[in-house]
Amino acid sequence: MRGSIRKRGSTYTWYLDVPDPATGGRRQRSKGGFRTKKECQAALNDALAALRSATFVDPSPRTLGSFLAEEWLPAVRPPRLRPSTWSSYQMNTEAHIVPALGGVALQRLSPAQLTAFYRTLLEHGRRDEQGGLAPKTVRNIHGTIHAALQDAVRWGYVARNVASAVELPKGMTPEMQVWSPEQLRCFLDHVRADRLYAAWLLIVTTGMRRGELAGLRWADVDLEAGRASPRRPRVVVDNEVIVSEPKTAKGRRSLALDPVTVAALRRHRAQQATERIAAGPLWQNSGLVFTWPDGSPIHPQRFSSWFEQHARAASLPRIRLHDVRHSYATAALAAGIPAKVVSERLGHANIAITMDTYSHILPGLDEHAAGTVARLILGDPGSRQEPSVDKALTTGHQAPEQGEEVKGELPGQRGRASGGIRTPTGLPTGT
C-alpha cells in the first residue's frame, strides 16, 4: 500500500486506496492543493501511517461551523444531554464559536487557532464590546468545543481532539460568598413564621440545589425514615421551566434529615392538607412538597427572589440562594465532617470537585487536624514534662499522665452576626 502522487495544474495531489468497511472492497481517497511534490509526499506518508495505525480519516471539506450546527448539536439533543447542558452548548456555539471559527475546516483546526480564539474572548469577547469574558466563561466555551471534537474523533471525522492540547485560560476564582452558622441561624429565626419555612430549613440543613427544592415530591420524602431523595429537579432553560434529570449520577442520592427538619416537614404537610381542603375543586395535584396554596408548582426563580427579600429584611449580607448551599458545605467541613460525606450529600460527581470548590478552608482544617492528631498521640502538652537538655535521654518512653414568601413578616432578627467561620461548631440541633 503505497499510494501515488500526481501534478494537477500548479499543485500536487495524493491518491490512496483505503478499505471500505461497508463493502469489504477498496475505495480511492485523495487530497490536493500542495504547492510542492515534497509537501504532498509528506502528507501521503502521514496518511499511510494513519491507515496502518487505524487512525486514518477521510479528507473532508466539512467546516467546524457546519459540523457543530448541522450534525453535532442535533445529535446530542436531549435526552442524550440534560436540557440545560444542551442549551449552554447551543448558546456558546451560536454566540461565540461559529462567528469566529465557523469557516475553519474541521480537519485543519489547530491548537494554535483555539489558543488565539480564547485570548480574543478574554480581551474582547463580550457581545456589547465592553471588554472581555471571564476566564470561567471561556473555559465553558472550551468545554463545548472539546465535547464536540471528542464526538468528531469517535465518528471518524478527525484523527485527534486538538482541544486537548490547548492550555486553558487561568484566572482568579471569585471569592466565595457564604454565611456563617450564626448568620444561617439568624436567617432561620427571621423566616420561622413564613409559609415556606420548611423549604428554607431544608436547604440550610441539606445544601440542596434550587431545582431540587422546587422539584421535590412527597413521593421522594420518607418522613418515617427521615430521608429525602431529590430525583426530578425543576430547572429553568431558555426561560421555560422543565423537569430534568439530576445534574450528575451522584445527584441521585438519599439524604438523611435531622429530627427538627422532619418535624418542620410534617407541619408543612399538615398545612398543605388544610390548603387542599380550602381550595376544593381548584386544587392542582402536582405532588410537589412546596407549592402555591392551590397546589400549583412554584417557579424556581421565585425561591431565589423570596430568599433575597428575606435576607435583605433580616439585614444579612447579600448572597445568592445557591450560596446557602456553599454555606452548608463550608459549615460542615469546618465542623469536621469528612469531605467524602459532604461530597455525597451535595451530590457532587466526585470528591475532587468538593475539594476544589472549598479549598479556601482546607488550610485551616489542615492545621486543626495537625493539632488534634498530635494531642491524640502525644497527650496534652501541659501535662508532659520535657526532658532536660542537660540530662541523658532514656531509651524508654514515659507514658503521659491521665486526665489531661415575603408578606410583611416580622423581621425576627437577633442582630447581625459577624461573617466568617471562627470555630468548628456547626448549627444548632436540626439547623
Side-chain angles (χ1 to χ4, degrees), residues 79-144:
R80 175 176 166 180
L81 292 178
R82 298 174 70 245
S84 56
T85 302
W86 187 87
S87 178
S88 173
Y89 284 169
Q90 182 187 42
M91 181 185 68
N92 290 337
T93 296
E94 296 178 351
H96 301 289
I97 302 171
V98 169
L101 300 174
V104 176
L106 179 63
Q107 294 179 345
R108 291 185 178 273
L109 184 66
S110 68
Q113 287 174 308
L114 291 179
T115 299
F117 170 54
Y118 297 154
R119 184 169 58 249
T120 299
L121 291 178
L122 287 170
E123 296 174 354
H124 314 289
R126 289 183 53 170
R127 284 188 282 180
D128 60 6
E129 301 181 353
Q130 298 300 311
L133 299 177
K136 176 65 165 60
T137 303
V138 177
R139 289 195 293 270
N140 289 341
I141 294 171
H142 166 81
T144 300

Side-chain angles (χ1 to χ4, degrees), residues 72-285:
W72 184 66
L73 282 174
V76 298
R77 291 184 69 93
R80 175 176 166 180
L81 292 178
R82 298 174 70 245
S84 56
T85 302
W86 187 87
S87 178
S88 173
Y89 284 169
Q90 182 187 42
M91 181 185 68
N92 290 337
T93 296
E94 296 178 351
H96 301 289
I97 302 171
V98 169
L101 300 174
V104 176
L106 179 63
Q107 294 179 345
R108 291 185 178 273
L109 184 66
S110 68
Q113 287 174 308
L114 291 179
T115 299
F117 170 54
Y118 297 154
R119 184 169 58 249
T120 299
L121 291 178
L122 287 170
E123 296 174 354
H124 314 289
R126 289 183 53 170
R127 284 188 282 180
D128 60 6
E129 301 181 353
Q130 298 300 311
L133 299 177
K136 176 65 165 60
T137 303
V138 177
R139 289 195 293 270
N140 289 341
I141 294 171
H142 166 81
T144 300
I145 296 176
H146 190 279
L149 294 183
Q150 198 65 27
D151 281 335
V153 172
R154 293 195 306 107
W155 298 346
Y157 291 170
V158 293
R160 70 185 183 110
N161 187 341
V162 296
S164 297
V166 178
E167 183 175 353
L168 294 180
K170 296 180 174 61
M172 292 296 292
T173 302
E175 184 177 352
M176 186 176 295
Q177 301 298 315
V178 299
W179 281 346
S180 68
E182 293 83 0
Q183 290 168 325
L184 289 170
R185 187 183 304 115
C186 177
F187 173 77
L188 291 175
D189 286 343
H190 174 76
V191 298
R192 193 170 300 277
D194 187 66
R195 177 177 168 273
L196 295 177
Y197 172 70
W200 308 126
L201 184 59
L202 188 63
I203 201 169
V204 166
T205 58
T206 65
M208 276 191 188
R209 299 178 177 92
R210 184 184 74 175
E212 294 172 335
L213 188 74
L216 189 67
R217 305 167 299 176
W218 284 115
D220 303 326
V221 179
D222 186 342
L223 294 179
E224 296 300 324
R227 306 197 74 85
S229 305
R231 297 187 179 95
R232 303 297 303 278
R234 299 179 71 245
V235 298
V236 182
V237 178
D238 296 333
N239 299 317
E240 180 183 354
V241 179
I242 64 170
V243 177
S244 179
E245 292 296 319
K247 188 173 183 179
T248 67
K250 294 291 182 65
R252 299 179 179 89
R253 63 202 189 280
S254 175
L255 294 167
L257 305 177
D258 65 277
V260 174
T261 301
V262 170
L265 285 169
R266 290 186 187 278
R267 292 192 298 270
H268 179 77
R269 186 171 60 178
Q271 170 188 296
Q272 194 177 72
T274 301
E275 293 173 343
R276 180 171 188 167
I277 294 173
L282 298 179
W283 175 262
Q284 297 185 34
N285 192 19

